[in-house]
Amino acid sequence: MNPKKVRRASTRSLTDLPNVGPAIAKRLNSIGIDKPSQLEGCDPVELYERLYKITGKWEDPCILDTFISIVRFINGEEAQVWWAFTAERKHLLESKMT
């Protein structure tokens, strides 16, 4: 969903989350996430790694940006566009490689 349209009080399904449409919801379902509340306290990088273990390939890094955005949102931050987290994702991945 477009972050500008997200209403925290009415976030009941995955597609109610910022930046989540059917394709991202399907990816989340594949790693055992069926409802937004299951994202509380999750590590976005760990979610991304779980997706890799299921698919056998690394998804587009923008998926990790989206995972960061939804975990932050579910833990109380304002809804933001996924690309607002690109710099953070690059830093996270760079620090994991060193």
Side-chain angles (χ1 to χ4, degrees):
M1 175 180 288
N2 181 315
K4 292 180 182 180
K5 296 180 180 181
V6 170
R7 301 293 172 254
R8 190 176 301 279
S10 61
T11 303
R12 289 175 180 57
S13 69
L14 293 174
T15 55
D16 293 333
L17 292 167
N19 309 302
V20 177
I24 297 293
K26 185 176 177 179
R27 285 178 172 92
L28 289 166
N29 290 153
S30 75
I31 59 172
I33 305 292
D34 300 312
K35 54 189 174 186
S37 62
Q38 291 175 285
L39 293 163
E40 290 178 31
C42 283
D43 176 349
V45 174
E46 190 268 333
L47 295 174
Y48 188 66
E49 290 170 344
R50 282 170 48 190
L51 189 57
Y52 167 78
K53 289 176 185 172
I54 290 191
T55 64
K57 66 180 179 95
W58 288 109
E59 296 283 331
D60 186 301
C62 298
I63 301 295
L64 178 52
D65 298 349
T66 301
F67 287 178
I68 295 169
S69 80
I70 61 177
V71 168
R72 293 285 176 78
F73 174 77
I74 210 67
N75 287 315
E77 292 186 21
E78 292 299 313
Q80 295 184 55
V81 293
W82 62 265
W83 57 89
F85 298 94
T86 301
E88 180 180 346
R89 179 249 307 157
K90 288 179 178 180
H91 178 74
L92 280 170
L93 293 180
E94 184 178 285
S95 66
K96 284 188 78 94
M97 295 178 154
T98 57

